[in-house]
Amino acid sequence: MTANERIRLLIVGCGDVFTRHYLPALEALADRVEIRALVDPRLGAAAAAAKTIVAWSAGVAAESDLRVALTRQDLDAAVNLTPAPLHGAINRAILGAGLHLYSEKPLAGSVPEADTLIELATARRVHFLSAPGSAATKRFRWLVDTIASGRYGSPMLAVAHHADPGPAAWREYTGDPTPFYRDGVGPVFDHGVYRLHEMTTLLGPVGRVQAMGTISSPTRVVRGGPLTGQTIQVTTPDHVLVNLEFTGGALGQLLASFGTPATKAPWLELHFPMATFSFAGQSWEPDAPASLYLDDDGPDAREGWTDGIEVPMDDVGVVETGVTHFVACLRGEATPILTAEHARHVLDITLKAYASIADGRSHDTETTF
């Protein structure tokens, strides 16, 4: 793209994540992007979204059928924000049409399906990136550089969590939370995936996975959105514990839960031989506080915690960072970090975790990045 050209986008899915995260992020990039078409099977949702963006995307059209939208000749790229179980088929249609693509996680429903999508993107010579945007944040680029410096030695252990009641309890959530508690989504696919992307960004590929999971609360009462007050069934584990063996020798542990009221546990701790980084607060907060523990036997020995260490801060949240990075890649201003190959590996880890829950055994991964 030239500096004066705006990227012409297709948005597929006009639900809560589009309204609360992607729309503000894209509007902030209005000098570089415009939305040409919005697709949602609920035509009213697409039409309502179109009305909110006409000031900076005057020619936007609302459609209920993706096949119709993909016949347009005025599109450069697409963003897939549909429910997780639909991602594989929709991504295949978008890539088949020759559009650059940014997909919400997961990028597919299986490793073979992800393989097919990656091959298709290569054949069409288009960018194929996938959420979450963690690896593109300033915070994680800084951690990657810190590890590469060798200052604290090689990291040997990562412990991470994302634990809350899930979207049924979010009073601000405007969509239907039911799919989040069913097979194909659950806390690992929805939230734990952030921690898995972050740990693999820092420690590299995972070779072996063990996991346990249970349904702690079989029903939930919805607190916000169109189903407020209704009771929904939980049919996939809402507590999942995952142990990870990285190919480089480090270990990792993840708690992903939709069954906890709240937690103050660090959302990530990264352990080196004589240092520990600990991240508190909420992981989606751009300025989440960080602490460093040093246990140094050198001539300038230091021992103990330093809270509030200076870490590069992001201007926007992790979701917004992902799509901003995608736009920068399309404009040739950045090299892709949120690759489909990395997303495929995290999908592989997640699927192996659920296989381990089912049979009680550890499972080797079959991918890398």
Side-chain angles (χ1 to χ4, degrees):
M1 310 294 295
T2 68
N4 295 324
E5 290 181 304
R6 291 206 295 169
I7 297 164
R8 301 168 298 178
L9 288 180
L10 163 67
I11 305 295
V12 188
C14 300
D16 181 82
V17 71
F18 172 68
T19 303
R20 289 198 294 129
H21 295 286
Y22 281 83
L23 180 54
L26 292 170
E27 185 171 3
L29 301 172
D31 61 328
R32 286 168 274 178
V33 301
E34 61 177 323
I35 299 175
R36 300 297 299 166
L38 293 159
V39 175
D40 196 291
R42 306 161 302 159
L43 184 57
K51 289 180 181 179
T52 68
I53 65 173
V54 291
W56 57 278
S57 291
V60 63
E63 301 282 356
S64 61
D65 191 331
L66 175 61
R67 293 169 298 180
V68 173
L70 290 177
T71 64
R72 299 175 64 101
Q73 301 301 307
D74 61 346
L75 297 173
D76 302 308
V79 179
N80 181 4
L81 307 178
T82 59
L86 306 178
H87 287 179
I90 289 175
N91 286 345
R92 184 166 187 168
I94 291 169
L95 293 171
L99 299 180
H100 302 288
L101 173 60
Y102 185 76
S103 175
E104 259 298 336
K105 36 71 178 174
L107 78 170
S110 68
V111 170
E113 186 175 47
D115 291 340
T116 297
L117 296 175
I118 292 170
E119 292 167 2
L120 182 56
T122 300
R124 294 292 191 271
R125 298 182 178 180
V126 294
H127 285 296
F128 180 24
L129 278 65
S130 179
S134 301
T137 63
K138 293 177 183 178
R139 179 188 297 154
F140 276 90
R141 300 324 300 161
W142 173 79
L143 279 171
V144 168
D145 290 342
T146 298
I147 292 170
S149 75
R151 179 179 178 184
Y152 305 110
S154 297
M156 56 187 182
L157 175 68
V159 179
H161 89 279
H162 196 129
D164 62 31
W170 303 343
R171 300 183 192 279
E172 73 277 12
Y173 189 69
T174 61
D176 176 4
T178 305
F180 291 88
Y181 300 88
R182 302 285 171 83
D183 294 344
V185 189
V188 183
F189 277 109
D190 187 60
H191 276 166
V193 64
Y194 287 87
R195 304 290 87 86
L196 292 174
H197 267 269
E198 291 156 5
M199 287 192 285
T200 50
T201 293
L202 301 175
L203 299 176
V206 169
R208 189 160 62 107
V209 182
Q210 294 177 326
M212 293 185 292
T214 188
I215 297 176
S216 66
S217 301
T219 61
R220 300 296 171 86
V221 176
V222 181
R223 293 181 177 177
L227 301 186
T228 298
Q230 295 187 29
T231 299
I232 60 175
Q233 302 297 314
V234 178
T235 61
T236 195
D238 57 1
H239 289 321
V240 179
L241 292 170
V242 185
N243 291 324
L244 307 168
E245 182 179 70
F246 293 85
T247 58
L251 297 178
Q253 188 176 66
L254 167 68
L255 164 64
S257 176
F258 277 165
T260 55
T263 179
K264 283 191 173 182
W267 54 268
L268 176 66
E269 287 196 333
L270 185 64
H271 300 276
F272 297 78
M274 291 186 175
T276 293
F277 285 98
S278 183
F279 293 90
Q282 302 296 338
S283 62
W284 59 83
E285 296 172 339
D287 58 347
S291 300
L292 172 63
Y293 184 91
L294 287 177
D295 183 9
D296 187 353
D297 291 329
D300 299 318
R302 293 174 57 191
E303 184 174 352
W305 284 103
T306 301
D307 296 325
I309 63 171
E310 187 174 343
V311 176
M313 292 172 54
D314 292 283
D315 300 324
V316 295
V318 64
V319 175
E320 294 83 354
T321 296
V323 73
T324 301
H325 175 67
F326 176 57
V327 170
C329 291
L330 295 184
R331 292 174 57 84
E333 299 165 354
T335 300
I337 295 172
L338 310 177
T339 66
E341 289 80 5
H342 191 174
R344 173 182 59 188
H345 184 62
V346 171
L347 171 65
D348 186 11
I349 295 168
T350 303
L351 293 173
K352 296 302 188 293
Y354 281 100
S356 180
I357 292 170
D359 66 15
R361 306 174 62 139
S362 64
H363 286 260
D364 294 339
T365 59
E366 54 192 286
T367 63
T368 189
F369 67 99

